[in-house]
Amino acid sequence: MDATLLSTLEQAVADGKLLAASLENIKLLTGGTTDPVIPATIAELANAGDFAELNNRFYKTLAFGTGGLRGRTIGTKVTATEQGKGGINGRPEFPCVGTASMNYFNVGRAMRGLITYVRRFVEAEGTGRKPMIVIGHDTRHFSRDFAELCAKIATELGCDCALFDGPCSVPEVSFTIRELRADTGVMLTASHNPSHDNGFKAYFNDGAQLIAPHDKAVIAEVNALSSDTYTPLPAEQQGTLRVLGAEMDEIYIKRLRQVALRPEVFSQASAKVVYTNLHGTGKRCIVPLLKQLGCNVSTVAEQDIQDGRFPTVASPNPENAPALDMAVAQADAENADLVIATDPDCDRMGIAVRNKATGKMELLTGNQTGCLLAWYRCMTVKELGIVNDANIDHAVMVKTFVTSPLQDEIAAKHGIETVNVLTGFKYIAAKLGKYENAIPAELRGNYRDLSEQETRALRLAHSKYFVFGGEESYGYLAQDFVRDKDANVAALCLAEMNAYLATKGMGLLECLNAIYEEYGFYKELGKSLVMEGADGAAKIAALTKTYIENPPTEMDGAKVVAFRDFSAGNLTDAEGDPIPAEKMLFADLEDGRSFAVRPSGTEPKIKYYLFAHGKPGMDLGTAKAQVEGSIASLWAALEADANARMN
């Protein structure tokens, strides 16, 4: 680093303008690269006195959370150096410089660390084969650049690499890892985050995201790397590059079609679906999948365009109503009763359904959609005799603790067990891995080659058949040949349910209300306190610590009758398996309400999950008013308590 620049930064630390940790990370970055963009950008910000921006970029190094690495790839302030000549879709020429940012330095280190870790497993086999890596990416700024960098590093370091020919979905990468018997996989994506973000999701050989001990071990390898330079192996020792295209899509779609429980309903009802991929990857497989099954589906042409700016929406998040506005307008014009939207990497799905009483489209929450799908899948596997009295002990739903307890009630009513796990689909995937491995070895040798019907029979006979599962944040799964949330299969299941209900003269909203009348009205509320940057991270950590050290004994006038501190690491789940330690707290109140608190693993926020419900048989209008009032009151109390804890 230039001596003048170093002096400026050291003075800023002395003046309290720059964090000491930021300076150390600046030294780490500048000392480990020959990229001229990096020191030039740092100097530009320092000379402008913008130490707040430097702190936000350098206060930490990225670490794996529930979704892997994630951070800004375009800074809050783009320097002239980063802007350069500019790039496609209005992006800067170069990604955001910083140890807390998504850029070539961090992506390269993450890839090399992952390769180092995975290589040990392959070398231990003693076969002499090269590690195999699958790489996919979404439509975000720099996603393709990062994917190609990862492929270059992989092949030059002696790994065979399968790179998708263009933007693809998260679940297809998970599926392909399993299909190709790869040793690991990478997806470049930031899910539904704003357009300035990107991320690096790492998978293991089972197609699931890294969990302990793999995740921490990979981070250790990454942190051991202080430079972005490496020496490629001799040409004869390097790996090969395979480009994946339509042939892999066809294999994946064929498997997805087998998940349908009543495929005949598409020809029995004319139920129309409007679909939008919000400028992302979903159209690659969802549209051909639904059309092959006979579903009447149309797309929003303006949002079919793959563009990392997500130009027609303020946010590419299917949880947000405005993101579905164009699709809802098209549904009104085409007289469709269902709108399906998926986020840019097609692992989350949001929907809008027609209210037949008012004629208007209404958005459903992730919990409501999950309850509908849980009811349909549980009801149908029982009605078709797939799950029966002889094997029902081998059927299971898996969901997260912070997902609606109505799903537990629905499963229980059908005699199906529910297992709750921590937030993060990797924990659902871990259960699927457990159930697969419980099948006798002589029967599961070719497990990945078997059809859905064949693996289902094996699981029902020897292990646990996963009927359905998901999380409140719009992520669902109905099969085990993908080990991450899958909006492709969610779209299939919902379109199938919509068509099935149409054959009964019923709509999705009417079905949901019927569920509420049978089980009681359930309401869930998700809230967050957002605290960005270095200061925000410290505030989140401090607030979380107060909940652990001083848990509430009362909230909104109701006593806390049960309190679970997941950070202690001493809890077990419904199957007796240890629950990994996580900074999450769950409180049950004496009046039946409950709430959970946890810091996000991928976003600068602390999350609150609130739950309340009424009694079965109550007038639905009265129950909704009472429950919604009580949950709003609970949030007001929680927010006031949080503010008091921070002051």
Side-chain angles (χ1 to χ4, degrees):
M1 187 192 311
D2 175 77
T4 302
L5 175 58
L6 178 59
S7 177
T8 299
L9 296 173
E10 289 176 337
Q11 186 60 50
V13 172
D15 294 341
K17 297 177 180 178
L18 184 69
L19 296 172
S22 296
L23 178 55
E24 290 306 308
N25 286 330
I26 288 172
K27 291 178 180 178
L28 167 70
L29 185 56
T30 55
T33 184
T34 58
D35 183 353
V37 172
I38 291 174
T41 296
I42 295 169
E44 192 174 331
L45 290 170
N47 292 336
D50 201 343
F51 297 109
E53 179 71 6
L54 280 171
N55 277 331
N56 288 340
R57 292 171 178 230
F58 286 97
Y59 74 97
K60 68 175 183 178
T61 56
L62 291 184
F64 280 102
T66 56
L69 299 176
R70 193 175 295 182
R72 293 189 74 109
T73 196
I74 297 177
T76 305
K77 297 180 180 179
V78 177
T79 66
T81 303
E82 290 167 331
Q83 183 60 35
K85 299 176 183 177
I88 59 172
N89 291 333
R91 68 163 217 208
E93 183 178 1
F94 304 105
C96 181
V97 170
T99 55
S101 306
M102 280 296 299
N103 45 47
Y104 298 125
F105 183 86
N106 274 331
V107 170
R109 289 172 70 227
M111 192 67 193
R112 289 161 56 208
L114 178 63
I115 289 171
T116 300
Y117 182 70
V118 169
R119 187 186 299 280
R120 288 206 295 269
F121 285 85
V122 175
E123 290 177 348
E125 296 175 357
T127 62
R129 70 177 181 87
K130 295 182 175 71
M132 173 67 182
I133 299 177
V134 172
I135 300 174
H137 66 89
D138 66 5
T139 61
R140 290 178 172 274
H141 298 307
F142 295 103
S143 282
R144 184 66 188 182
D145 306 74
F146 292 154
E148 291 178 350
L149 172 65
C150 288
K152 177 177 182 292
I153 292 171
T155 54
E156 289 183 346
L157 293 181
C159 301
D160 292 330
C161 182
L163 172 68
F164 276 88
D165 60 359
C168 67
S169 69
V170 157
E172 188 171 7
V173 169
S174 173
F175 171 79
T176 303
I177 292 168
R178 294 177 60 79
E179 180 70 15
L180 298 183
R181 276 63 170 178
D183 300 290
T184 186
V186 168
M187 177 72 182
L188 285 306
T189 177
S191 190
H192 58 292
N193 276 31
S195 61
H196 54 63
D197 284 356
N198 213 321
F200 176 104
K201 293 179 72 171
Y203 294 83
F204 207 55
N205 56 16
D206 58 351
Q209 289 184 64
L210 299 179
I211 59 173
H214 306 306
D215 53 355
K216 294 178 181 178
V218 170
I219 281 295
E221 295 293 347
V222 173
N223 289 342
L225 300 172
S226 58
S227 169
D228 60 3
T229 60
Y230 63 93
T231 302
L233 293 173
E236 66 275 10
Q237 297 178 30
Q238 292 185 14
T240 60
L241 177 64
R242 171 184 174 184
V243 177
L244 302 174
E247 77 288 346
M248 185 54 64
D249 299 340
E250 291 169 6
I251 296 170
Y252 176 48
I253 290 170
K254 181 180 178 181
R255 290 299 303 270
L256 287 170
R257 288 184 60 176
Q258 297 173 12
V259 181
L261 296 172
R262 304 180 193 266
E264 70 279 1
V265 296
F266 289 108
S267 62
Q268 297 171 358
S270 59
K272 183 160 188 175
V273 175
V274 172
Y275 168 70
T276 175
N277 66 359
L278 301 179
H279 304 287
T281 62
K283 190 183 176 186
R284 180 167 183 147
C285 292
I286 285 179
V287 175
L289 168 65
L290 294 181
K291 287 187 173 179
Q292 285 179 26
L293 287 165
C295 179
N296 186 357
V297 58
S298 66
T299 65
V300 181
E302 298 93 327
Q303 295 178 331
D304 285 343
I305 300 167
Q306 296 182 326
D307 188 337
R309 293 171 296 185
F310 314 120
T312 65
V313 294
S315 168
N317 188 344
E319 301 177 32
N320 299 336
L324 277 67
D325 282 350
M326 294 181 73
V328 167
Q330 186 165 316
D332 288 336
E334 297 179 355
N335 195 30
D337 289 331
L338 173 61
V339 162
I340 295 176
T342 57
D343 64 346
D345 61 3
C346 197
D347 63 355
R348 285 179 168 87
M349 177 188 75
I351 69 169
V353 299
R354 182 80 60 194
N355 184 324
K356 294 186 181 294
T358 65
K360 296 181 184 259
M361 298 293 287
E362 295 186 11
L363 268 71
L364 299 189
T365 67
N367 276 309
Q368 290 172 324
T369 301
C371 288
L372 281 170
L373 290 174
W375 175 84
Y376 179 71
R377 296 286 295 182
C378 289
M379 177 273 295
T380 302
V381 295
K382 291 287 296 296
E383 191 171 282
L384 296 180
I386 295 170
V387 173
N388 50 53
D389 291 342
N391 62 23
I392 198 164
D393 289 343
H394 293 266
V396 67
M397 272 204 346
V398 186
K399 56 179 275 292
T400 64
F401 284 104
V402 296
T403 297
S404 175
L406 176 53
Q407 294 179 30
D408 302 69
E409 296 299 319
I410 289 169
K413 192 76 173 279
H414 289 89
I416 294 173
E417 177 189 16
T418 298
V419 177
N420 284 281
V421 297
L422 292 175
T423 299
F425 234 85
K426 60 187 180 182
Y427 296 114
I428 296 177
K431 286 293 184 181
L432 300 184
K434 172 188 172 182
Y435 303 149
E436 177 183 351
N437 292 331
I439 299 169
E442 65 273 15
L443 299 177
R444 61 177 164 84
N446 64 337
Y447 187 83
R448 300 185 190 187
D449 296 325
L450 302 178
S451 69
E452 177 70 4
Q453 290 72 23
E454 290 170 324
T455 64
R456 184 170 65 201
L458 279 176
R459 286 173 281 164
L460 283 169
H462 303 283
S463 177
K464 290 288 182 73
Y465 164 50
F466 174 71
V467 177
F468 179 72
E471 56 188 11
E472 43 56 63
S473 55
Y474 296 70
Y476 317 100
L477 192 64
Q479 81 276 34
D480 85 329
F481 55 79
V482 168
R483 298 293 167 90
D484 206 342
K485 49 187 172 285
D486 188 349
N488 298 289
V489 84
L492 161 64
C493 292
L494 195 72
E496 177 191 328
M497 181 180 182
N498 185 53
Y500 167 78
L501 292 174
T503 66
K504 307 293 184 183
M506 193 177 192
L508 286 160
L509 191 60
E510 292 172 277
C511 181
L512 181 62
N513 286 333
I515 291 172
Y516 286 147
E517 288 171 359
E518 180 178 357
Y519 294 89
F521 178 69
Y522 279 69
K523 175 74 174 179
E524 302 80 29
L525 184 64
K527 290 287 187 178
S528 299
L529 298 178
V530 179
M531 305 173 207
E532 295 185 324
D535 291 342
K539 290 178 181 178
I540 290 172
L543 178 56
T544 303
K545 185 178 180 182
T546 71
Y547 286 116
I548 295 172
E549 296 181 347
N550 184 27
T553 57
E554 177 273 342
M555 193 62 63
D556 194 30
K559 289 182 181 179
V560 174
V561 294
F563 191 83
R564 285 170 283 172
D565 177 5
F566 288 82
S567 70
N570 57 0
L571 301 178
T572 56
D573 63 28
E575 295 180 331
D577 294 330
I579 300 172
E582 176 162 309
K583 290 180 180 178
M584 182 174 79
L585 305 112
F586 208 112
D588 297 317
L589 305 182
E590 63 180 347
D591 59 9
R593 293 178 296 174
S594 57
F595 66 89
V597 183
R598 59 174 285 270
S600 172
T602 57
E603 299 173 282
K605 61 179 63 172
I606 187 164
K607 294 185 175 183
Y608 294 81
Y609 306 83
L610 288 69
F611 308 91
H613 62 87
K615 296 179 180 178
M618 285 182 65
D619 172 75
L620 196 52
T622 302
K624 284 184 177 181
Q626 290 180 356
V627 172
E628 288 173 353
S630 71
I631 207 167
S633 177
L634 179 57
W635 169 240
L638 280 165
E639 190 173 25
D641 178 70
N643 288 330
R645 289 171 179 270
M646 289 189 290
N647 294 327

